[in-house]
Amino acid sequence: MKKTIATLASVLFLNFSLLYGQEEKGNDHKEINSLQRTFVFDFTTKLWTYSEESKYRKRKVYFLIPYKSQPAIRVIHLPSIDYKVKIETAFFDVTPKTEAVKNDTTFKLFEKNKEDNIVYTETMNVVDSDEVNYTVTISDENDKIVHITQVYAKVYGGLKIDLSTGVLFHNLFDESYGYVAGANSQSSISKDKNNGVVKPLFPVVLTHFYWRAKGIISPGFSLGLGIDDSGKAGYYLGPAVLLGDRQRAVISLGLALRPTNTLKGRYAEGQLLDDSSKPDVSDLVESVYKAGLFFGITYNLTAKIEKRQ
């Protein structure tokens, strides 16, 4: 039991090291004190920039934005003050239920900045989802659409709860015993050789509490319940690592608590019993809760949603 607790403590320490070390190693992002972030679209170059914080690039530009921040959309170098700008906002939650959470359409007036450039600025709603997509439509004075552009932002930070299912292994084994015939009409209690065989537990459902990370590795904790083929329920708690973006594989390791068949206290391995009064082998054991370790590989249950634009 002491070894089990020591091992779990080591695993917890490793998980926290991952949680606090991941943000620093290889992090090119500059944190901003203000909760407001600004997305800037240059009408002349048709390019997006994200002020004061760097961006990641894939096939198309997307940005990282903190949870509970309040972004602003700014369009600069517009050719005329009579041009109209419409911004549509789509928030997305990666959950088993739905992907689209909220859609807003907003309008604002134009203004001139100190450099005499015609600009449009709109402060958006507070971001409280996993992802956000802004569609900006620019029309001329005749209401003819001259340009449509999108900017996508992935949200980091904020605690999130998800479910996953998969396979789990643990080191808690049911003990079984039999009899070995002896002299003088007696038999001794003998432990079966098949004890300690690792059997996978499938399916198991785990709940994950994790912190949205900037990359594809998110640290968190797993809490779960698993029922084996004999109907016994086990409980599992420990650190986890979620790998992936929208669809995630989860690796969990921690403490397992399960009812386990063990030899009753009034019996001992090697004990001699009279053949005439010895109990059935099934009566030699009783089910008691024991603590051990578990290792799980599960898949995050999320909605099947389309690829990002």
Side-chain angles (χ1 to χ4, degrees):
M1 185 64 181
K2 289 182 179 179
K3 288 184 178 180
T4 298
I5 295 173
T7 305
L8 181 59
S10 301
V11 172
L12 289 172
F13 175 77
L14 234 87
N15 188 72
F16 279 116
S17 298
L18 175 64
L19 175 61
Y20 292 106
Q22 163 176 299
E23 296 290 335
E24 298 175 2
K25 186 176 181 181
N27 182 12
D28 296 327
H29 292 265
K30 176 183 176 184
E31 293 298 334
I32 311 170
N33 292 329
S34 171
L35 283 178
Q36 181 168 303
R37 301 321 202 242
T38 304
F39 299 98
V40 180
F41 178 71
D42 190 323
F43 187 83
T44 303
T45 63
K46 302 298 189 293
L47 295 176
W48 283 96
T49 57
Y50 188 13
S51 66
E52 299 188 72
E53 191 166 349
S54 60
K55 64 191 174 218
Y56 286 5
R57 290 181 180 272
K58 286 189 177 178
R59 288 187 176 180
K60 293 187 178 180
V61 175
Y62 75 99
F63 303 92
L64 295 176
I65 188 170
Y67 182 69
K68 291 297 184 183
S69 59
Q70 190 170 9
I73 303 293
R74 182 171 295 156
V75 182
I76 63 174
H77 298 141
L78 285 162
S80 170
I81 200 167
D82 294 322
Y83 271 44
K84 303 178 182 66
V85 176
K86 181 178 74 172
I87 300 178
E88 296 174 279
T89 307
F91 289 122
F92 297 91
D93 263 327
V94 182
T95 67
K97 296 180 181 179
T98 179
E99 58 170 289
V101 176
K102 189 190 307 178
N103 287 277
D104 298 319
T105 301
T106 57
F107 295 87
K108 274 286 183 180
L109 298 176
F110 295 96
E111 60 184 15
K112 289 187 177 183
N113 65 11
K114 61 183 179 180
E115 298 176 350
D116 203 34
N117 292 320
I118 300 173
V119 300
Y120 166 95
T121 302
E122 167 70 24
T123 300
M124 313 309 295
N125 290 328
V126 173
V127 175
D128 59 357
S129 300
D130 293 328
E131 305 173 1
V132 61
N133 191 81
Y134 300 106
T135 302
V136 181
T137 304
I138 302 173
S139 305
D140 62 17
E141 56 269 21
N142 298 318
D143 292 329
K144 179 182 177 181
I145 296 175
V146 295
H147 192 74
I148 297 178
T149 182
Q150 290 186 331
V151 58
Y152 160 76
K154 177 184 174 182
V155 179
Y156 68 88
L159 185 67
K160 186 170 172 59
I161 302 175
D162 278 335
L163 296 175
S164 72
T165 184
V167 63
L168 181 146
F169 303 89
H170 58 81
N171 64 347
L172 297 172
F173 312 109
D174 285 332
E175 298 176 357
S176 58
Y177 292 84
Y179 292 110
V180 176
N184 302 321
S185 300
Q186 287 185 321
S187 297
S188 63
I189 299 175
S190 175
K191 192 173 185 178
D192 289 343
K193 293 182 179 180
N194 61 356
N195 287 295
V197 177
V198 176
K199 293 182 179 179
L201 183 61
F202 179 85
V204 63
V205 177
L206 297 177
T207 302
H208 306 288
F209 304 83
Y210 64 96
W211 190 260
R212 296 180 184 89
K214 291 181 179 180
I216 62 171
I217 301 177
S218 297
F221 282 91
S222 293
L223 174 64
L225 169 69
I227 301 176
D228 61 19
D229 51 9
S230 63
K232 293 181 179 180
Y235 304 93
Y236 310 95
L237 172 66
V241 176
L242 290 83
L243 307 173
D245 195 351
R246 283 185 168 180
Q247 310 295 334
R248 304 179 182 94
V250 186
I251 299 175
S252 304
L253 175 67
L255 180 67
L257 186 65
R258 290 183 53 82
T260 306
N261 288 342
T262 188
L263 193 64
K264 291 181 179 179
R266 60 178 177 270
Y267 300 118
E269 189 175 352
Q271 181 178 347
L272 291 173
L273 297 174
D274 292 332
D275 290 340
S276 59
S277 60
K278 67 182 181 184
D280 186 77
V281 290
S282 61
D283 293 328
L284 294 174
V285 297
E286 61 182 347
S287 181
V288 297
Y289 273 93
K290 286 187 176 182
L293 294 175
F294 82 92
F295 173 76
I297 301 176
T298 54
Y299 185 75
N300 201 200
L301 295 173
T302 58
K304 184 179 180 181
I305 51 184
E306 297 178 359
K307 294 182 178 179
R308 299 188 181 98
Q309 299 182 1

